[in-house]
Amino acid sequence: MDQTEQSVTPDALMHEIQQIRGDLKKFFERTNQVHLQSIISDLKHEYGGILSKNHIERARECLSSNMVHDCEMHDTCFQVLLNFLTITSNHINDGEITDDLVCSYRAHLEEMRKKGPSERCDICFNEVRRLFEKQLDLMCSLGILKQQKSTHPVLDYPEEKIVSGIIEPIASTPRFQILQAVSAETKTFSDLSQLTKLRGGNLLFHIKKLQEAGMIIQRHERGDYVITEKGFKVLSAIREVYAGIVNKE
């Protein structure tokens, strides 16, 4: 037997075997990861167009149902807002979007809203915001959009205004239920009564709190309730904070 073979000890041999096992494990992990990424990429390519088309059709239905109908600008605004959602939904198909682009879309929506002549424009634009955020949720799920954590400078916040205008109005289970419900779709008084198990004056008290805080509005007297831009932003911020807390637990 050769001297090299004689110098190999059982411990050294075991070490070599363990190292080979470790290398093989890493190799298979990398291979599986590449394979998984390839599958996800294929799925995006195959189904992206279908998902994008589905979102456009859904947007058309929601806008038709939830926009203000008795408005002379209805047809013009319907087409403009549907075009906006069609453009943004294309990112589901092409698989490319950035945080900067998302911010530019949100800014564009704000600019369009400023040109709206009526308070009732909030109803239509809140519906567009809701549909746009649903698109973003899907893009996050598909890995198309990887949202970065934003950093905000420390400011001297007006405590009383924050408590009275934001925290106090939603510091109640029924009011938070109402805000979440109307963020998904418009709700009647009867719908909210069934949801919260409250009736008459008790339910009206909570609705008024949210209305006074500017978080929901009513289409017209005895009409459906709709979330406002402020209500949508408050709810989105709460969801983001909650998601961040849960992910760290």
Side-chain angles (χ1 to χ4, degrees):
M1 184 178 292
D2 148 322
Q3 289 183 351
T4 304
E5 291 179 314
Q6 289 179 336
S7 65
V8 176
T9 65
D11 288 342
L13 184 60
M14 183 59 69
H15 176 73
E16 286 291 329
I17 292 172
Q18 288 174 344
Q19 188 170 3
I20 292 171
R21 283 178 177 174
D23 291 341
L24 283 172
K25 183 179 178 181
K26 290 177 182 178
F27 171 76
F28 285 123
E29 285 176 349
R30 284 196 296 270
T31 303
N32 289 336
Q33 186 177 9
V34 170
H35 181 58
L36 181 60
Q37 289 173 343
S38 175
I39 291 173
I40 292 173
S41 178
D42 290 342
L43 286 172
K44 288 179 187 176
H45 179 73
E46 185 174 353
Y47 294 107
I50 297 173
L51 291 171
S52 176
K53 183 179 178 181
N54 178 264
H55 264 264
I56 295 169
E57 290 305 314
R58 179 61 179 159
R60 186 187 301 275
E61 292 173 7
C62 290
L63 290 177
S64 296
S65 300
N66 298 326
M67 284 182 68
V68 176
H69 293 280
D70 57 336
C71 172
E72 60 182 13
M73 293 294 293
H74 174 275
D75 293 346
T76 301
C77 289
F78 177 87
Q79 197 55 55
V80 169
L81 297 178
L82 181 61
N83 287 345
F84 172 83
L85 291 169
T86 300
I87 291 170
T88 55
S89 72
N90 286 336
H91 294 293
I92 300 172
N93 187 24
D94 63 35
E96 293 182 6
I97 192 169
T98 63
D99 279 338
D100 288 341
L101 192 52
V102 170
C103 289
S104 72
Y105 281 136
R106 286 182 173 140
H108 183 53
L109 266 182
E110 294 301 319
E111 287 302 314
M112 286 197 292
R113 172 60 190 96
K114 288 176 183 177
K115 296 176 183 178
S118 167
E119 288 186 3
R120 295 197 301 169
C121 293
D122 276 340
I123 294 171
C124 302
F125 276 90
N126 286 333
E127 181 64 16
V128 176
R129 290 187 192 97
R130 183 182 73 82
L131 293 168
F132 178 53
E133 293 301 325
K134 288 183 78 69
Q135 288 182 358
L136 294 180
D137 286 343
L138 176 60
M139 285 187 266
C140 284
S141 299
L142 293 172
I144 296 170
L145 173 63
K146 294 179 174 62
Q147 293 179 318
Q148 300 174 351
K149 293 182 179 179
S150 59
T151 55
H152 300 284
V154 177
L155 302 174
D156 184 16
Y157 294 111
E159 293 89 350
E160 290 184 7
K161 286 186 177 180
I162 290 175
V163 172
S164 63
I166 299 175
I167 298 175
E168 196 274 334
I170 59 171
S172 154
T173 299
R175 292 200 287 276
F176 194 68
Q177 285 178 318
I178 292 169
L179 192 63
Q180 287 212 97
V182 297
S183 73
E185 58 183 344
T186 61
K187 295 290 183 183
T188 64
F189 190 88
S190 178
D191 292 333
L192 297 177
S193 178
Q194 186 174 2
L195 171 70
T196 60
K197 311 302 181 189
L198 297 174
R199 295 183 179 180
N202 288 334
L203 176 57
L204 193 58
F205 168 79
H206 292 293
I207 290 175
K208 289 294 184 185
K209 282 282 187 181
L210 291 170
Q211 286 180 307
E212 290 168 1
M215 294 188 188
I216 67 172
I217 57 175
Q218 195 173 17
R219 284 181 183 271
H220 49 76
E221 189 177 356
R222 298 185 180 277
D224 295 353
Y225 292 94
V226 184
I227 196 168
T228 64
E229 180 184 355
K230 177 182 177 181
F232 187 82
K233 286 181 177 179
V234 169
L235 188 59
S236 297
I238 291 172
R239 287 172 174 168
E240 184 178 345
V241 170
Y242 180 74
I245 293 172
V246 170
N247 290 338
K248 289 182 179 179
E249 290 180 349

